[in-house]
Amino acid sequence: MELDKVIKELFENNIIKIVLSNPRDTKYKKIVVSKTEQGFQAEKFTETQAFHENLSEEQLAVFVYSCMDEGFKQLNAWNGEFEYSIKISKKGKVFFNKTKNSAEVKVSGSNNRQKSYFLEEGTVIPPLVDMGVFTKDGKVINSMYDKFRQINKFLQFIDEAIDKASLSKLNIVDFGCGKSYLTFVVYYYLTYVKKIDVTMTGLDLKEDVIKKCRKTAEKYGYEKLSFEVGDVAVYESDKPVDMVITLHACDTATDYALYHAIRWNTKIIISVPCCQHELNGQIETDDFSILTRYGLLKERVAAIMTDAIRGNLLEYCGYKTQILEFIDFTHTPKNLLIRAVKSKIPEEHKKKLLNEVENLIKEYNLRPTLYELIVGDSAEKL
């Protein structure tokens, strides 16, 4: 039988899933094709990575034929009722078989699954394996489902901002990257899943941490992910920055990161603040001392004020800003994520936002770092 005729016959049977295996001299070790509402998605697996490609129904037969013609010697396909198999012998002879399914076919790339998770279970993602979230074959470890969901939630916040900003190329700075693998996960998602041309730089003060991150990036083959030793307060980028990420940059380091993003006219800012000590040490009020009398409540009020001021100042500087609830990776209590996307903010609204900040500063005797950096000497003395 001729391969093209067999494949043509195969696709007359409403196929919903295909697995290409037994490769000979090919880049990929396995390819899994799953039906979605939009068409089909192919997951192409190497030893350490997975690459995704969306296909229309018209493209699928050509894609499968080229894969088998170039080296895959076995195909298994399902349509919900039957399993079909195509095998190519060493001599090039094509064998075609059809059997009744003994169990329900699970389509891992289904549309419902894609809506739930931005990173698919069953895909080998090296950072998640090294984090202990995935097994070596890409399965979520039972005790790590919470962390897996948290990572996907973080990617959702980024994904929505990118789609809103309509960006197809990104230069990203990750301030205070530390040794967290989240930097690697973000790079993987944007580069290999979203197919965006990404250049990403992680910055941290600890030289030993940066050395380890560089080795890890080299191990993964992440060529456009680099790491630098540096202080957030004085860092400068030598090229335009499209996105700034700050994940737990401690205390006022978050403010300096936000200030750099504003100065650079960065299109997207994603910030998960860490400890917020600055205002807790400044806050004083006569009329509202009920909010500062009890240590625990004072700490929480100061943290809320800190992020409220940051949100207002970002909008004042031309960013549509949201403060969203986010669950931390280290399983600490719920905290907040600031997401800001460059937008057009009416001048009257900007004035109102700044006025609200200055009223709060005056009432509670505050000197927040981000306010000082943005407004500085141009502000009237309060």
Side-chain angles (χ1 to χ4, degrees):
M1 300 178 72
E2 295 182 11
L3 181 61
D4 57 344
K5 291 182 179 180
V6 170
I7 291 176
K8 182 179 179 180
E9 181 179 343
L10 174 69
F11 286 106
E12 292 174 352
N13 295 282
N14 194 28
I15 298 300
I16 60 174
K17 183 176 180 179
I18 298 168
V19 175
L20 293 156
S21 58
N22 192 16
R24 296 178 188 173
D25 301 321
T26 66
K27 177 181 178 181
Y28 302 107
K29 302 302 178 184
K30 181 175 74 170
I31 297 177
V32 178
V33 181
S34 301
K35 188 174 180 59
T36 68
E37 286 186 359
Q38 293 75 31
F40 292 85
Q41 184 182 73
E43 289 183 285
K44 300 177 285 188
F45 297 90
T46 66
E47 287 287 357
T48 59
Q49 295 177 316
F51 300 86
H52 298 77
E53 181 178 348
N54 293 321
L55 302 164
S56 67
E57 291 190 18
E58 294 75 19
Q59 294 171 320
L60 183 59
V62 176
F63 174 82
V64 170
Y65 177 83
S66 64
C67 288
M68 298 200 75
D69 188 51
E70 292 170 6
F72 281 94
K73 300 304 178 185
Q74 182 167 338
L75 175 149
N76 294 84
W78 296 263
N79 69 353
E81 184 179 1
F82 294 98
E83 178 181 353
Y84 302 86
S85 65
I86 301 174
K87 294 183 180 180
I88 303 175
S89 70
K90 291 182 179 180
K91 294 182 178 180
K93 189 174 181 179
V94 178
F95 297 91
F96 183 49
N97 191 37
K98 169 184 167 183
T99 57
K100 186 80 172 178
N101 282 335
S102 59
E104 181 181 355
V105 179
K106 294 183 179 180
V107 184
S108 62
S110 68
N111 193 58
N112 288 337
R113 183 84 175 189
Q114 289 176 345
K115 286 181 180 178
S116 300
Y117 296 119
F118 288 83
L119 298 178
E120 288 295 308
E121 183 178 1
T123 301
V124 179
I125 303 174
L128 294 184
V129 175
D130 286 349
M131 286 173 74
V133 176
F134 274 9
T135 62
K136 290 183 178 180
D137 59 354
K139 302 294 183 182
V140 179
I141 295 172
N142 287 336
S143 62
M144 302 300 286
Y145 267 103
D146 283 345
K147 182 172 283 191
F148 181 58
R149 283 190 286 267
Q150 291 158 13
I151 291 170
N152 277 278
K153 188 67 175 178
F154 187 76
L155 293 177
Q156 177 187 339
F157 291 139
I158 292 177
D159 188 86
E160 291 170 350
I162 290 173
D163 287 348
K164 187 173 183 180
S166 300
L167 297 174
S168 59
K169 188 175 182 179
L170 284 169
N171 179 34
I172 304 172
V173 174
D174 182 359
F175 282 114
C177 62
K179 60 184 179 180
S180 171
Y181 278 91
L182 187 63
T183 307
F184 297 102
V185 172
V186 170
Y187 180 87
Y188 170 87
Y189 174 71
L190 295 177
T191 301
Y192 298 110
V193 180
K194 290 284 285 184
K195 306 296 184 183
I196 295 174
D197 182 5
V198 172
T199 302
M200 192 168 182
T201 303
L203 185 79
D204 200 273
L205 281 170
K206 298 178 181 178
E207 188 171 352
D208 58 333
V209 169
I210 292 300
K211 285 182 179 178
K212 183 177 179 181
C213 288
R214 286 170 178 166
K215 289 181 180 179
T216 303
E218 184 177 351
K219 180 180 78 170
Y220 295 160
Y222 292 175
E223 296 178 357
K224 291 188 176 183
L225 174 59
S226 61
F227 293 88
E228 297 180 18
V229 178
D231 186 347
V232 172
V234 296
Y235 179 80
E236 290 294 340
S237 176
D238 58 358
K239 53 188 174 182
V241 177
D242 303 298
M243 180 189 295
V244 162
I245 295 174
T246 76
L247 184 67
H248 296 162
C250 190
D251 201 12
T252 58
T254 295
D255 298 295
Y256 282 102
L258 296 178
Y259 178 60
H260 290 320
I262 292 166
R263 284 194 307 112
W264 296 335
N265 202 33
T266 300
K267 296 178 179 66
I268 298 171
I269 302 169
I270 305 288
S271 176
V272 179
C274 186
C275 51
Q276 296 146 312
H277 300 311
E278 183 184 40
L279 298 195
N280 191 35
Q282 298 174 357
I283 189 170
E284 291 181 8
T285 177
D286 294 327
D287 294 336
F288 299 98
S289 56
I290 186 174
L291 297 177
T292 62
R293 180 172 295 117
Y294 307 101
L296 179 60
L297 296 182
K298 179 183 178 183
E299 181 181 345
R300 292 184 180 179
V301 167
I304 290 172
M305 287 183 177
T306 300
D307 288 332
I309 289 170
R310 287 167 174 164
N312 264 35
L313 289 175
L314 283 166
E315 292 228 20
Y316 169 72
C317 293
Y319 288 85
K320 181 65 177 176
T321 303
Q322 297 169 289
I323 297 183
L324 307 163
E325 190 172 68
F326 181 65
I327 304 210
D328 180 50
F329 290 101
T330 55
H331 305 290
T332 55
K334 292 180 180 180
N335 55 16
L336 302 179
L337 178 144
I338 300 172
R339 180 171 65 185
V341 179
K342 194 68 178 176
S343 186
K344 291 183 179 180
I345 308 296
E347 289 301 319
E348 284 300 314
H349 187 55
K350 287 184 179 180
K351 291 178 182 178
K352 179 184 177 183
L353 294 165
L354 184 61
N355 187 55
E356 289 174 349
V357 170
E358 292 180 339
N359 286 341
L360 189 65
I361 287 173
K362 185 175 181 180
E363 176 61 44
Y364 289 91
N365 296 289
L366 307 173
R367 303 301 296 184
T369 293
L370 188 58
Y371 175 83
E372 293 293 309
L373 290 169
I374 292 172
V375 182
D377 295 334
S378 65
E380 294 180 6
K381 297 299 180 181
L382 299 174

